[in-house]
Amino acid sequence: MVSRVIIERRDGSCSSGTGLAGRGDRWTRQGAVTRRSGAARSMAAARVPLWAICVLRVALATVYFQEEFLDGERWRNRWVHSTNDSQFGHFRLSSGNFYGHKEKDKGLQTTQNSRFYAISARFKPFSNKGKTLIIQYTVKHEQKMDCGGGYIKLFPADVDQKNLNGKSQYYIMFGPDICGFDIKTVHVILHFKNQYHANKKSIRCKVDSFTHLYTLVLRPDLTYEVKIDGQSIESGSIEYDWQLTSLKKMEKASAEAEGWDQAAKDKSQDWEKHFLDASASKPSDWKGELDGDWQAAMLQKPPYQDGLKPEGIDKDVWLHQKMKNSYLTEYDLSEFENIGAVGLELWQVRSGTIFDNFLITDDEEYAENFGKATWGETKGPEKEMDAIQAKEEVKKAQEEDEDDMLMGRFRGRENSFKGFHRRNEF
């Protein structure tokens, strides 16, 4: 008798089936309690619901920040408008003119044309050193963006929210930017060694008026992935695509260089410790044909006396060795020490963009499922509502045109009638 078990595999997927867990699975036969002895008890223990295993998997994810704006105006208790400039534009909570779900699709919407915007929310600080980092959110350019940003920024925990502006330091800038016909790109900018570095690849963003899901994945092996609507559109090596060198490679190259220098130095010092014995002379019985060329013996130099400087040693060597790695930091490419806030700091010519479904986590599967449960559930109904509105607008426009035509004909007849009477007056 073979019992049916539910298995969470190492690749993160959940599956159920008969038989035993494979070598690559998390559960073994003993761990799943599927022995043939005590069949009734084993069967009861093996019947673990699939949803329970997947919930356990989700529970292992670390969610640093998640925002869906489902509690109405309470969002104002979590998000802080910057007062750095009195001309900054304001946000409101809105699902827009068309949507998939009136409440679930509510997000932060820009409301004023030709304005800068700056708003942010805090969360418990964390470091992604040695961990995967996923940044995900939805953006909807309902106004059909002509020029403006739709990106978000990840800030250090000590960011001054009340004075947030374009000069505020950030760790990551990610998302779409549109301006005219030339700029339709997805920015991925990383802060490294006190400078901002942009991805050298051109990543095209969506330019329509529907809601789209943007996802950035930064992995500890220095690879990355950019997704739009759950589909991977760009990926690769952070070192190669940003044209940067990781600290690990810098340290390795430095260590190798030090090894080469030390080896050369040892050889040089070893040679300098000896000298030819000038007082030596070739023995009288030395025969060159049999014994080869004669060479005087090498004598070892005496140790340096106190107060005398060793020859051949650069006085700056020690200082150089001490200082040359002092600029290196503990955190490598795409690793940040004190992440503690997310925000929108951007410019828009035409307002109306809606930002929603923010997520910062360390689990790619959780991010994928979150995207499906939010954007994935409302994207279809949103397009359906837009199509219905478009048909209604076309119908209304046709009716208005017909009314205008009828009014034009009536006015034409009226004018003809008046002209007839005027002619009769003469």
Side-chain angles (χ1 to χ4, degrees):
M1 176 178 179
V2 180
S3 58
R4 185 175 184 83
V5 297
I6 300 172
I7 301 168
E8 182 189 3
R9 303 189 180 279
R10 283 187 177 178
D11 63 2
S13 61
C14 295
S15 62
S16 61
T18 58
L20 303 178
R23 179 177 293 180
D25 300 328
R26 183 169 295 182
W27 287 2
T28 61
R29 178 173 181 172
Q30 291 79 8
V33 196
T34 57
R35 300 179 196 174
R36 294 186 182 182
S37 60
R41 186 175 180 182
S42 299
M43 288 291 289
R47 291 195 187 98
V48 181
L50 177 60
W51 64 265
I53 302 302
C54 291
V55 166
L56 176 61
R57 177 69 182 86
V58 169
L60 298 176
T62 301
V63 177
Y64 304 109
F65 181 79
Q66 184 171 306
E67 177 65 87
E68 300 176 65
F69 303 102
L70 298 178
D71 56 352
E73 291 301 311
R74 292 181 182 176
W75 69 272
R76 298 183 184 276
N77 298 327
R78 299 185 297 274
W79 291 78
V80 177
H81 275 100
S82 173
T83 56
N84 177 268
D85 190 330
S86 60
Q87 295 299 311
F88 277 167
H90 293 283
F91 289 91
R92 69 181 177 189
L93 196 64
S94 175
S95 54
N97 296 324
F98 61 95
Y99 41 80
H101 190 286
K102 187 173 183 179
E103 296 303 319
K104 290 182 180 180
D105 282 348
K106 283 185 177 179
L108 295 181
Q109 183 180 42
T110 56
T111 61
Q112 297 167 282
N113 295 338
S114 301
R115 295 292 182 95
F116 284 100
Y117 291 86
I119 193 171
S120 60
R122 285 193 186 280
F123 44 83
K124 184 179 179 181
F126 72 95
S127 170
N128 71 314
K129 183 176 178 62
K131 303 176 184 177
T132 298
L133 177 63
I134 299 100
I135 304 170
Q136 183 171 280
Y137 71 109
T138 57
V139 59
K140 174 186 179 184
H141 294 311
E142 185 177 84
Q143 73 280 33
K144 296 182 179 179
M145 176 66 75
D146 51 357
C147 188
Y151 43 80
I152 65 173
K153 291 182 178 180
L154 220 56
F155 297 97
D158 60 357
V159 64
D160 186 349
Q161 290 180 277
K162 282 291 186 179
N163 289 307
L164 186 68
N165 60 77
K167 295 182 180 180
S168 299
Q169 180 188 335
Y170 63 87
Y171 286 145
I172 300 173
M173 174 174 149
F174 168 63
D177 191 11
I178 300 172
C179 196
F181 295 100
D182 299 329
I183 301 176
K184 298 175 181 177
T185 187
V186 177
H187 289 300
V188 187
I189 300 176
L190 305 178
H191 186 266
F192 179 60
K193 289 170 57 178
N194 296 322
Q195 292 184 352
Y196 296 110
H197 304 272
N199 191 322
K200 305 304 179 184
K201 289 184 177 179
S202 178
I203 308 176
R204 185 176 174 84
C205 66
K206 298 292 185 178
V207 296
D208 56 51
S209 58
F210 295 110
T211 301
H212 293 286
L213 180 71
Y214 284 82
T215 307
L216 171 64
V217 181
L218 300 175
R219 303 185 181 94
D221 63 356
L222 298 184
T223 61
Y224 77 99
E225 188 171 8
V226 175
K227 299 179 182 180
I228 299 181
D229 298 342
Q231 301 298 316
S232 179
I233 60 169
E234 193 57 79
S235 62
S237 165
I238 296 176
E239 289 185 284
Y240 185 81
D241 291 348
W242 272 259
Q243 296 180 8
L244 296 171
T245 303
S246 74
L247 299 185
K248 294 176 184 177
K249 285 191 176 180
M250 287 184 186
E251 292 170 354
K252 182 179 179 181
S254 178
E256 290 177 351
E258 286 181 1
W260 297 333
D261 292 344
Q262 187 62 42
K265 183 178 178 181
D266 291 343
K267 289 182 180 178
S268 175
Q269 289 182 350
D270 188 56
W271 175 259
E272 291 174 357
K273 290 178 181 178
H274 299 80
F275 62 94
L276 292 173
D277 184 1
S279 63
S281 60
K282 185 168 66 174
S284 59
D285 60 345
W286 187 274
K287 296 181 180 180
E289 297 83 1
L290 299 176
D291 300 324
D293 295 334
W294 178 82
Q295 187 176 6
M298 299 292 293
L299 300 179
Q300 186 172 358
K301 288 183 180 181
Y304 295 108
Q305 300 298 320
D306 293 341
L308 296 178
K309 175 186 174 182
E311 297 178 1
I313 298 181
D314 189 343
K315 65 180 181 180
D316 295 325
V317 167
W318 178 84
L319 182 63
H320 175 70
Q321 292 293 334
K322 180 181 179 181
M323 294 182 62
K324 76 175 176 179
N325 289 332
S326 63
Y327 70 90
L328 296 181
T329 60
E330 180 184 355
Y331 294 86
D332 206 349
L333 286 168
S334 75
E335 292 183 342
F336 306 100
E337 176 183 7
N338 198 31
I339 304 171
V342 63
L344 305 169
E345 190 284 306
L346 44 84
W347 160 268
Q348 290 194 342
V349 173
R350 186 185 300 171
S351 64
T353 301
I354 299 174
F355 300 87
D356 193 11
N357 302 313
F358 293 87
L359 176 67
I360 302 173
T361 182
D362 65 351
D363 192 285
E364 294 185 52
E365 184 178 356
Y366 182 90
E368 182 179 350
N369 291 334
F370 181 74
K372 291 177 180 178
T374 52
W375 171 82
E377 293 293 324
T378 61
K379 63 175 182 175
E382 179 188 70
K383 291 184 177 181
E384 291 174 3
M385 185 175 184
D386 177 68
I388 292 172
Q389 289 183 353
K391 289 181 180 179
E392 291 176 350
E393 290 175 1
V394 170
K395 182 179 179 181
K396 183 179 179 180
Q398 290 175 344
E399 291 174 350
E400 290 177 352
D401 289 342
E402 291 175 358
D403 290 342
D404 290 342
M405 291 178 64
L406 290 175
M407 289 300 295
R409 291 175 183 174
F410 176 77
R411 288 170 184 167
R413 291 177 181 176
E414 185 180 35
N415 291 337
S416 299
F417 182 75
K418 289 180 180 179
F420 174 77
H421 279 279
R422 287 196 189 98
R423 286 195 297 269
N424 288 340
E425 289 176 359
F426 291 102

